[in-house]
Amino acid sequence: MTAKVYAIIVAAGKGLRMQEAKRKQYKLLGDKPILAHTLMAFNRCEPIDQIIVALPAEDIEFCRKEIIPVARIQKEARLVIGGAQRQDSVYNGLQAIENDDGIVLIHDGVRPFVRQKHLLACIKGAHQHGACILGLPAFDTIKQVNENNEIVQTRQRNTLWLAQTPQAFALKLIKKAHAAAKQDGFSGTDDASLVERLGATVKMIPGSRSNIKITDQEDLLLARAILKDWPNEAGKQQSLTADKKYTA
């Protein structure tokens, strides 16, 4: 039996760090909004069956009319109302999935440069391990500071990784993790942390430094530089989808 694969794209943030009235997910990157680029990447990933986008309530119609058509989504797409916090938005997205079997990828709407090989690796990893996330080994020296920004410790970076998205999970596991967090009033920094507190193991998959999260103007400048070479990524699709379906 082939398990269904879902993707939840979290795009309900207010984008305060961008310091502009327009939400960051709708800012233009080249000739398309950032969110449209992100949706295009997931639309190209053949194993994904359905894309769910969590948005502010007031943006649902805007996204339906202005973002989905630009992204040329061919997969089944569903728009849901996000929550006050990112964790709430993911929870709402999970509630929109009636099926408890299968795999779900959870991704930031403002990470438009996720590579197809990494989407496929996350899907495969979730099938094999139940939970996995993209990340990068820490490449700078890590300093721990106190409330006065005084260094109290230099951390050994060989065991430290920087978490990225997507984060992929067996649906039963991530739904259980979010339900437990909601019941306990626990707020995690990412979805993996909710799974970790259940005692489950989360596998780390090496990602890419180009998979940036666009949160401020400096990120946007970097994203424009990455975009110049990004059309080549779309051209790799055919060679990457040979193993397009993974069975549970």
Side-chain angles (χ1 to χ4, degrees):
M1 179 180 177
T2 301
K4 292 196 73 171
V5 180
Y6 302 85
I8 297 175
I9 310 299
V10 186
K14 297 179 180 179
L16 299 178
R17 281 177 285 184
M18 195 65 76
Q19 297 182 337
E20 292 186 4
K22 180 182 286 189
R23 301 188 202 275
K24 59 189 176 183
Q25 57 266 38
Y26 308 134
K27 288 190 67 65
L28 286 180
L29 178 58
D31 61 350
K32 298 179 182 67
I34 293 170
L35 179 57
H37 285 282
T38 302
L39 293 175
M40 288 168 64
F42 281 78
N43 187 60
R44 288 197 300 271
C45 186
E46 195 164 348
I48 293 175
D49 297 292
Q50 184 184 69
I51 299 173
I52 299 166
V53 189
L55 300 155
E58 61 271 25
D59 292 359
I60 294 287
E61 282 306 307
F62 170 79
C63 188
R64 193 187 312 278
K65 295 177 180 178
E66 303 294 336
I67 303 295
I68 298 296
V70 171
R72 298 180 180 178
I73 300 297
Q74 298 162 336
K75 298 181 183 294
E76 181 182 354
R78 185 169 181 180
L79 308 182
V80 301
I81 297 174
Q85 304 295 328
R86 184 187 186 280
Q87 187 169 312
D88 302 316
S89 296
V90 175
Y91 180 84
N92 291 352
L94 290 170
Q95 293 299 108
I97 302 174
E98 296 180 1
N99 187 12
D100 280 346
D101 295 317
I103 296 298
V104 62
L105 281 71
I106 302 170
H107 189 67
D108 300 320
V110 289
R111 285 189 192 265
F113 298 121
V114 59
R115 298 184 182 277
Q116 293 298 308
K117 67 179 182 180
H118 292 139
L119 292 178
L120 295 173
C122 282
I123 294 169
K124 186 174 183 179
H127 275 300
Q128 292 179 337
H129 306 289
C132 65
I133 73 172
L134 284 186
L136 290 174
F139 44 82
D140 289 327
T141 299
I142 305 296
K143 301 288 187 180
Q144 182 177 339
V145 301
N146 59 21
E147 63 276 8
N148 297 318
N149 287 340
E150 298 165 341
I151 297 171
V152 296
Q153 185 180 0
T154 299
R155 304 294 300 274
Q156 293 297 316
R157 66 185 181 192
N158 59 315
T159 60
L160 298 176
W161 284 59
L162 308 176
Q164 297 182 328
T165 67
Q167 302 189 348
F169 308 94
L171 267 168
K172 286 182 180 178
L173 177 60
I174 191 63
K175 283 188 173 185
K176 180 180 179 181
H178 268 270
K182 193 174 186 68
Q183 179 178 333
D184 299 341
F186 175 82
S187 179
T189 55
D190 66 356
D191 297 288
S193 66
L194 306 189
V195 172
E196 292 162 34
R197 71 188 292 265
L198 294 182
T201 299
V202 181
K203 183 78 171 180
M204 184 70 81
I205 295 176
S208 168
R209 291 181 69 175
S210 62
N211 184 21
I212 64 171
K213 185 177 181 181
I214 303 174
T215 60
D216 58 25
Q217 293 292 343
E218 190 172 1
D219 295 331
L220 193 55
L221 289 174
L222 179 56
R224 288 168 179 159
I226 296 172
L227 184 64
K228 292 179 181 179
D229 291 325
W230 201 247
N232 295 330
E233 168 67 13
K236 298 176 183 177
Q237 176 64 12
Q238 292 302 317
S239 63
L240 288 172
T241 54
D243 299 324
K244 62 183 180 179
K245 288 289 182 181
Y246 302 97
T247 55

